[in-house]
Amino acid sequence: MAALIDKLEHAPARLICGRHDNRPDALLEILHEAQAAEGWLSDDALRTIADALNISRAEIHGVVSFYHDYKREAPAKLAIKLCRAEACQAVGSEALAAYVEKKWNAPSGGKSADGEIQLEAVYCLGNCALGPSGMIDGELFGRVTPERLDALIEQRIEKMERE
Ligand code: FES
């Protein structure tokens, strides 16, 4: 079984390598593009890149683990950022974050157990007058309450399920 898994080809990664003429000196750009395409770097993608560039897997893993921007886990369906800076703290952002952690079982800086939600702390979204502030998949929201946040999350999950 391991041998079969070992041979899985990752077509998008192969294509990206080809666009760079399979040049080992383009490794960082290739990794960046592969991550941009899928949001993370899977084992299949890394194996395919190593094969295409004719470099060892150890070498590629060394590079990926050195740069913290490379993600080795699939992203959650929804990325929620809650501002934890002072102005938002003054209007309840800590309680809001605690609510989300408990309700959605998503630790700050981590994913929920079901993989649906990624919760991140951020420090000022430039929306201080309308705190607590948050972002869901890059969209900014102000005056976020637990009820409003639940509704926004559920709307997005329903929308994703319809698509
Ligand atoms: S402190 Fe929260 S948006 Fe600025």
Side-chain angles (χ1 to χ4, degrees), residues 83-89 123-129 131-133:
C83 178
R84 312 286 283 273
E86 291 164 4
C88 285
Q89 272 185 31
Y123 295 89
C124 197
L125 292 165
N127 196 41
C128 315
S133 298

Side-chain angles (χ1 to χ4, degrees), residues 26-66:
L27 176 60
L28 293 180
E29 292 121 289
I30 289 168
L31 290 171
H32 181 76
E33 288 177 30
Q35 180 165 284
E38 299 192 308
W40 68 300
L41 296 167
S42 67
D43 286 347
D44 293 341
L46 294 184
R47 271 193 295 271
T48 300
I49 293 169
D51 181 60
L53 305 186
N54 197 25
I55 59 178
S56 73
R57 291 182 196 170
E59 193 175 341
I60 202 165
H61 280 286
V63 170
V64 169
S65 59
F66 182 79

Side-chain angles (χ1 to χ4, degrees), residues 85-96:
E86 291 164 4
C88 285
Q89 272 185 31
V91 290
S93 68
E94 291 302 311
L96 182 63

